[in-house]
Amino acid sequence: ADDNSAVYFNKSVISLFGYTENEISDLDSTDLFADDIAGLMREAESTHNLQASKLHVQLSCNHKNGSQFRSHAVINHLDVMGGEGYAIVLSPVPDVASEISVEQSEQRIDVIEQSLNSILMMARNNPGLISGMTNIDQLRLQDISPGDDKCLLREQAVVVMTSALSCWEHDLGRSKMELAEDSKIWPVYIDKSTPTTRTLDKYLQLDSCPKNPRRQRVIDTAEFVLRANNKKTSVYRQKLLEALESFRSLISGA
């Protein structure tokens, strides 16, 4: 989508990048690719090398373990619920000895792209049907409702997460990394042999918080910290309780 978030993905992507379903749904294109996708498309268009809004390119992909690998990709412009987006279809770098011809690969890519467009059209016309798709063997769509209604939700999600971290650090004297590891709610990644909590980190800043934050993860994090903290009169604990109550009220529409 236009905010770099991954609106849909398939089972092969999980295997290719080494993430679980829950992990990859929180990532965006900047996590998965070392290349600037939008920049590549703009450059191709400006040099008139782009034909029918389709770009063939080799992408540098970021594996969960911190390594990089190359993959052939076809990138298409897509209308994602009224906004600009891209469909990125990956395939292994062609092997000279491969029995699969370039023509056959192109045919498979065209079929996949047609499926993506069909699913997005279905989402636009029947959002209720698509929101129930949770089978990873199918293409999965996250919440992609248009409009600015989610801005307040994002803001409150950040308030809850920062309050939870403050409570965890000040009342319990524990680190952000320990929160991710102990709660098992947030993945810990290995970035050049160094463990990082980059998904959790995104929820601590408004400018990086996902457009469609994972509500249950936010709630689960707050509840985990509250259970761990027995300082009933703590200022940090009280602030977290208030933030969580406001977040739940916002979700319920109260």
Side-chain angles (χ1 to χ4, degrees):
D2 54 8
D3 64 347
N4 292 325
S5 62
V7 176
Y8 50 81
F9 53 87
N10 63 17
K11 186 176 181 179
S12 298
V13 171
I14 295 177
S15 175
L16 186 64
F17 287 88
Y19 292 99
T20 66
E21 176 185 352
N22 284 336
E23 290 172 345
I24 204 166
S25 65
D26 281 324
L27 303 182
D28 56 37
S29 62
T30 59
D31 294 309
L32 299 175
F33 303 104
D35 303 286
D36 177 8
I37 304 300
L40 289 173
M41 293 294 280
R42 286 194 299 269
E43 180 180 357
E45 290 169 338
S46 65
T47 56
H48 306 289
N49 289 331
L50 194 62
Q51 297 181 353
S53 299
K54 180 183 294 185
L55 174 64
H56 292 253
V57 68
Q58 297 289 325
L59 291 180
S60 295
C61 306
N62 300 320
H63 195 275
K64 178 183 176 180
N65 64 14
S67 65
Q68 284 193 346
F69 62 92
R70 302 280 289 176
S71 179
H72 177 70
V74 177
I75 309 175
N76 269 15
H77 276 296
L78 281 180
D79 176 8
V80 183
M81 305 303 287
E84 185 181 54
Y86 303 103
I88 305 173
V89 181
L90 301 175
S91 61
V93 175
D95 188 340
V96 176
S98 174
E99 297 179 358
I100 301 177
S101 68
V102 173
E103 182 179 356
Q104 288 174 316
S105 296
E106 288 288 341
Q107 290 174 349
R108 291 192 303 178
I109 289 172
D110 287 340
V111 169
I112 294 173
E113 291 171 341
Q114 291 171 14
S115 298
L116 295 179
N117 281 299
S118 296
I119 290 176
L120 285 172
M121 181 63 69
M122 188 186 302
R124 186 178 298 110
N125 297 329
N126 301 281
L129 294 177
I130 299 302
S131 63
M133 290 177 61
T134 56
N135 186 348
I136 195 60
D137 291 326
Q138 307 175 56
L139 281 176
R140 177 182 172 186
L141 293 175
Q142 299 177 32
D143 294 333
I144 51 178
S145 302
D148 299 325
D149 295 343
K150 293 183 182 290
C151 290
L152 186 57
L153 183 67
R154 290 175 66 240
E155 292 175 2
Q156 192 59 36
V158 172
V159 172
V160 173
M161 289 301 300
T162 53
S163 298
L165 182 59
S166 293
C167 184
W168 179 262
E169 291 178 332
H170 289 86
D171 286 351
L172 300 175
R174 308 194 67 188
S175 69
K176 180 177 61 177
M177 181 66 67
E178 288 176 313
L179 174 58
E181 292 176 334
D182 291 1
S183 69
K184 302 189 186 306
I185 298 170
W186 303 95
V188 175
Y189 306 99
I190 303 300
D191 188 2
K192 296 180 180 179
S193 75
T194 302
T196 64
T197 58
R198 61 173 180 264
T199 302
L200 188 157
D201 292 348
K202 289 182 179 182
Y203 282 72
L204 299 175
Q205 298 288 338
L206 185 57
D207 58 357
S208 60
C209 184
K211 190 174 183 180
N212 298 290
R214 299 286 292 275
R215 306 175 187 184
Q216 195 57 50
R217 277 194 176 183
V218 173
I219 292 173
D220 289 347
T221 302
E223 291 181 339
F224 175 81
V225 173
L226 290 170
R227 287 194 302 270
N229 182 9
N230 58 9
K231 297 180 180 179
K232 304 299 184 182
T233 59
S234 164
V235 173
Y236 296 101
R237 191 178 196 279
Q238 185 59 36
K239 182 178 179 180
L240 175 55
L241 283 168
E242 293 172 357
L244 180 57
E245 181 179 358
S246 297
F247 188 63
R248 282 180 164 145
S249 297
L250 186 61
I251 292 174
S252 65

